[in-house]
Amino acid sequence: MENKRRRILRLTGAIVWVFTKQFPRVDFYMADIFQKKFPKGGGYPKVTLGFISCERMHYLRATLESARECIEYPNLEWIVIDDDSVEPGLKDYLEGCGWLDQTIFCRQTHAEAMNQLVATATGEFVLIWPEDVQFITGGDWLKDLVEILETHSDIGCICLDAQRLCTLHTIFRPGTREYLLRLYREVRRFGWHQRRRSRKISTARGFTMWTYGAYNDGVVGSGIPSLMRTAIWRDLGPWRIANPDARLIDSSLGAEDDMIDRVRKKGLCLQMAIPQIPLAADIINDAIGCKAKVRKGIRYGNYTRPPGGGVYYYQLQSYADRKSAVRDDRPLSFSECVQPISFEIPKDAAGDRLKASFNEQPQCNVRLDEKRRDGA
């Protein structure tokens, strides 16, 4: 039966080639669409939700609680891998989350934590998520994301978090020079008929996404944040363990560039995709558009509790309620859909969110300070 289905796929590909001179997007990552039936109430493939945590309990709580509130899907696996944090309250919080399937405390690099997550995940798809990106849109949208990944084999990673307007313009509205440069590189890399083209796709329920086309390599090299087939990560192999000379801005300490090199060497013709309505957002509550980051045991930047006094930094809203604001020409931007609670998002003169990649001040040696409190 399996060989018969493969022959059908090959025959379909030949017919498509005769009439369009293009190969269909069918490769060994393609889901067996003949077997994947999603009856009401069950049958959905498992999705592993994996969260990487390190010394930022307020961010972690906002992210986990918003994920639990916003993600409606019948077959989930919840995993948190924490860097054996010493921040007061963090371990107690995680140990109190009885709904988590696995909670792992292990002092290791970011790359090692992601490798452990991919090795541990039992889901057909894996969400690799940092603790500093809060979910903002509730609903059963994960069903649509799974359907799209199942039926569009050329999509690698799905980007769930809101992007700045200038970033969306860079991806979907490049200038003439940039467009021609991308086209030239794309044809050299994949050939004219296999070149990646941006397109708008929708599920049967009307959930809409845009693909990135020739912009980037179709995979988030850093691993976070992303939703992708677990098989692709495993085929690419583990992230390289820390390069000591890597920039502090790079949470993977050099592993990101190495992963992208592997994608290119394997010749994977993948592209990223992004929903019409953002589902999550970077936690930003300082004046320069940067979040607190932990590098080599030191926490950099302005790290605070949610200013509103609750659990969340941003308001949650249902997918149905957000549909009234959608645009037909591009996804919604960060400033168009993120509603902060009791603080303002820093914006530029055009109303777009400010972004700073790294803020070196203030600095807090979290683990050293905690040892001092303990009298060590």
Side-chain angles (χ1 to χ4, degrees):
M1 182 65 70
E2 179 66 22
N3 290 334
K4 181 178 179 181
R5 287 170 179 154
R6 290 185 181 275
R7 287 197 296 271
I8 292 173
L9 286 176
R10 292 192 186 101
L11 178 60
T12 302
I15 294 172
V16 171
W17 169 257
V18 168
F19 288 99
T20 69
K21 300 302 181 184
Q22 297 180 26
F23 288 113
R25 301 292 186 174
V26 179
D27 55 34
F28 72 96
Y29 296 125
M30 181 67 176
D32 187 351
I33 57 177
F34 298 93
Q35 290 182 342
K36 294 299 181 184
K37 304 295 183 182
F38 297 158
K40 292 182 179 180
Y44 290 91
K46 183 186 291 186
V47 178
T48 297
L49 306 183
F51 301 86
I52 309 297
S53 164
C54 181
E55 307 290 2
R56 295 183 295 178
M57 196 266 290
H58 304 309
Y59 290 177
L60 175 65
R61 184 174 58 179
T63 297
L64 282 180
E65 296 299 333
S66 63
R68 195 181 183 197
E69 180 75 17
C70 291
I71 301 176
E72 300 172 10
Y73 189 80
N75 194 4
L76 294 173
E77 177 184 42
W78 295 79
I79 300 175
V80 175
I81 299 181
D82 178 73
D83 193 36
D84 200 21
S85 297
V86 298
E87 181 182 5
L90 192 151
K91 284 187 176 180
D92 291 339
Y93 167 69
L94 285 178
E95 289 170 351
C97 294
W99 42 275
L100 295 174
D101 294 297
Q102 291 192 61
T103 305
I104 300 169
F105 297 102
C106 181
R107 185 65 54 85
Q108 58 189 336
T109 66
H110 178 80
E112 288 172 318
M114 292 191 298
N115 289 338
Q116 185 176 20
L117 172 59
V118 172
T120 304
T122 62
E124 185 176 340
F125 305 91
V126 60
L127 180 86
I128 306 180
W129 207 256
E131 81 268 52
D132 55 14
V133 183
Q134 183 197 307
F135 289 87
I136 60 173
T137 303
D140 59 356
W141 41 260
L142 187 54
K143 295 178 181 178
D144 297 281
L145 298 184
V146 167
E147 177 186 332
I148 287 171
L149 285 172
E150 288 273 302
T151 56
H152 296 80
S153 63
D154 64 318
I155 295 179
C157 281
I158 292 181
C159 172
L160 279 64
D161 55 310
Q163 302 296 303
R164 295 191 301 158
L165 183 58
C166 62
T167 302
L168 294 174
H169 284 166
T170 298
I171 297 169
F172 299 109
R173 298 179 184 175
T176 302
R177 183 177 181 277
E178 175 63 21
Y179 171 79
L180 293 175
L181 182 61
R182 288 184 197 174
L183 180 61
Y184 170 74
R185 292 172 175 169
E186 190 73 3
V187 172
R188 285 197 63 184
R189 186 175 176 185
F190 297 115
W192 180 260
H193 295 300
Q194 288 281 50
R195 71 191 189 278
R196 298 170 299 168
R197 283 156 286 190
S198 177
R199 65 189 188 275
K200 185 178 180 181
I201 54 180
S202 299
T203 65
R205 303 194 309 168
F207 184 93
T208 300
M209 299 185 72
W210 275 267
T211 69
Y212 281 28
Y215 182 83
N216 78 25
D217 293 275
V219 169
V220 178
S222 65
I224 57 170
S226 68
L227 173 67
M228 195 161 81
R229 300 172 189 84
T230 311
I232 298 182
W233 286 129
R234 289 176 177 165
D235 180 63
L236 287 170
W239 279 270
R240 187 183 67 185
I241 306 306
N243 173 6
D245 297 324
R247 301 169 301 163
L248 284 176
I249 189 177
D250 181 5
S251 63
S252 64
L253 299 178
E256 178 176 357
D257 293 339
D258 178 68
M259 184 61 73
I260 293 301
D261 286 342
R262 295 185 212 174
V263 173
R264 294 173 180 173
K265 288 177 181 178
K266 284 180 174 289
L268 298 184
C269 189
L270 300 173
Q271 56 178 311
M272 286 182 59
I274 186 172
Q276 183 180 38
I277 296 174
L279 308 172
D282 281 318
I283 297 174
I284 303 291
N285 71 323
D286 71 356
I288 64 172
C290 186
K291 50 192 172 185
K293 299 181 180 182
V294 178
R295 300 291 184 271
K296 301 178 181 179
I298 298 176
R299 189 168 58 217
Y300 296 86
N302 185 37
Y303 174 66
T304 67
R305 297 172 179 270
V311 173
Y312 302 132
Y313 291 83
Y314 305 130
Q315 294 181 27
L316 309 185
Q317 195 171 355
S318 71
Y319 188 88
D321 289 342
R322 290 195 187 277
K323 290 182 72 173
S324 61
V326 299
R327 297 175 58 100
D328 291 329
D329 58 335
R330 61 166 172 80
L332 292 175
S333 69
F334 189 106
S335 57
E336 292 171 325
C337 64
V338 176
Q339 300 167 294
I341 301 174
S342 300
F343 69 99
E344 296 293 328
I345 296 293
K347 298 179 181 179
D348 61 20
D352 204 5
R353 175 176 79 80
L354 287 178
K355 180 178 180 180
S357 297
F358 200 79
N359 186 2
E360 293 189 6
Q361 299 296 331
Q363 296 183 16
C364 174
N365 191 325
V366 184
R367 290 155 188 169
L368 180 61
D369 290 348
E370 189 61 24
K371 287 179 181 178
R372 287 172 178 164
R373 292 190 189 98
D374 293 339

